[in-house]
Amino acid sequence: MSIRTPLGRARGLGSAKTGTDHWWAQRVTALALIPLVIWFVVSMIVNTGSDHEAALSFISSPINAVLLTLLIVATFYHGQLGLQVVIEDYIHTKWLEVALILSVKGGAIFLGVASVYAVIAIALGG
Amino acid sequence: MATDNRPLSPHLQVYRPQLTSVLSILHRITGIALAAGSLLLVWWLIAAATGPTAFDTVQSFIGSVIGRILLLGWSFALFYHLCNGIRHLVWDSGKGFELNTVYASGWLVVVAATVLTVISWIAAYVVLGGAGS
């Protein structure tokens, strides 16, 4: 018989009280990245050595623009979750840990937004 | 309270490296490498949005010897992290923890990542040859 309260069970946070959302988000983005990465690799192979015009026509195709945007969002979300855990595991100076995690998260948002902007600019610019 | 004289658990280097531990740390290393590699995708997209000159700069970097070596590493890292990530997702479902299964899936990941990398590079060179450049 479980001695956990029904509320504790429903919240599903376990004994650590926190981190379940992080764990779930990492798995959900991992699952989303399986088909996206396979599509991306095949697309990049097909585009090997593309000139500028060919790259623009690839990116601006609606389906490619949508999949690229999803890939970028999932990649940077998944990546910053992973890097956060690495920093938490190895950096034991609190201020440095916080500073690095904030830099990673800020950097992921900046790079993600910049990439999505580039895709949209190309998709709508043509 | 003085805590610095307490006995420590053995450090990592006293253990003989095994397939399980090596693949585990390789998952983390490839993840970090891929985070760095994402910069190339960002650069590629922004250069494409900027114009032909900026785009040619990225393409010639990717085509250079250093660019190809980096891309070879990143493509293997991507396939390894993808295959081993799927292995982790299977573990998350509570399956595959028998010792012989862990070793079999580990070797499968190594072989699959290597084969996928080789196939991708052959395919890329076929595309490049077909483009006549």
Side-chain angles (χ1 to χ4, degrees), chain A residues 15-85:
Chain A
S15 58
K17 309 289 182 225
T18 181
T20 321
D21 53 340
H22 185 288
W23 190 93
W24 260 114
Q26 198 168 35
R27 269 65 187 177
V28 171
T29 49
L31 213 52
L33 280 166
I34 295 172
L36 287 171
V37 161
I38 294 169
W39 164 81
F40 175 71
V41 168
V42 172
S43 301
M44 288 300 108
I45 290 171
V46 172
N47 276 286
T48 307
S50 280
D51 59 10
H52 187 234
E53 205 178 327
L56 288 189
S57 86
F58 165 75
I59 297 167
S60 59
S61 146
I63 183 71
N64 292 337
V66 169
L67 289 175
L68 266 175
T69 304
L70 290 173
L71 175 86
I72 291 160
V73 172
T75 295
F76 283 105
Y77 194 22
H78 185 82
Q80 59 90 17
L81 289 172
L83 289 179
Q84 181 191 345
V85 177

Side-chain angles (χ1 to χ4, degrees), chain B residues 2-3 5 8 20 22 24-25 28 34 40 45 51 55-56 67 79 83 92 95 110 112 118 121 124 130-131:
Chain B
T3 55
N5 287 330
L8 296 169
T20 43
V22 170
S24 174
I25 196 62
R28 183 161 272 198
L34 288 168
L40 183 64
L45 288 170
F55 188 76
D56 286 348
F79 284 127
C83 295
D92 289 338
K95 294 181 176 66
V110 172
V118 171
W121 279 78

